[in-house]
Amino acid sequence: QDVGDLDVESVMAQFDGESGMTRVRNCERIGLANKLVHETVRQQARKGNFVLTLGGDHSIASATISGMRTVHEDLCVIWVDAHADSNTPTTSPSGNYHGMSAAHV
């Protein structure tokens, strides 16, 4: 079942304040988008559907994995990428969340 494109732009637009996380760019907006991805993945996995997420960057990986983990407790992940994506807000030189997603799994 194709659930189509998720309207992450509208969800991210719900936050228009000052960020409380100065070391992660757009932290609250990414959090809102990832919540939508997490919830959608979880709903589809609970239905027994095969879940495949396609996105613009690695930021959705943590939401996809956490959504699957709520349904499949024995979930294993093989992370294949040219970069480790294992930075944290403290170690990231850029503050871009797409370089932190593996660290948050």
Side-chain angles (χ1 to χ4, degrees), residues 63-99:
T64 301
I65 293 168
S66 67
M68 291 296 291
R69 179 77 169 89
T70 62
V71 178
H72 303 286
E73 292 180 11
D74 61 347
L75 180 72
C76 295
V77 175
I78 299 172
W79 193 282
V80 179
D81 196 306
H83 308 98
D85 297 333
S86 59
N87 281 308
T88 66
T90 305
T91 63
S92 174
S94 69
N96 293 325
Y97 182 74
H98 64 84

Side-chain angles (χ1 to χ4, degrees), residues 19-81:
S19 178
M21 286 289 296
T22 57
R23 293 182 172 227
V24 182
R25 294 181 183 180
N26 300 309
C27 181
E28 289 83 359
R29 288 182 180 93
I30 292 168
L32 290 169
N34 273 350
K35 180 179 179 187
L36 176 61
V37 172
H38 169 92
E39 291 172 353
T40 304
V41 166
R42 184 186 67 213
Q43 289 169 354
Q44 294 304 311
R46 280 189 178 155
K47 292 179 184 178
N49 292 334
F50 177 80
V51 178
L52 174 66
T53 55
L54 302 174
D57 68 34
H58 311 165
S59 299
I60 66 167
S62 58
T64 301
I65 293 168
S66 67
M68 291 296 291
R69 179 77 169 89
T70 62
V71 178
H72 303 286
E73 292 180 11
D74 61 347
L75 180 72
C76 295
V77 175
I78 299 172
W79 193 282
V80 179
D81 196 306

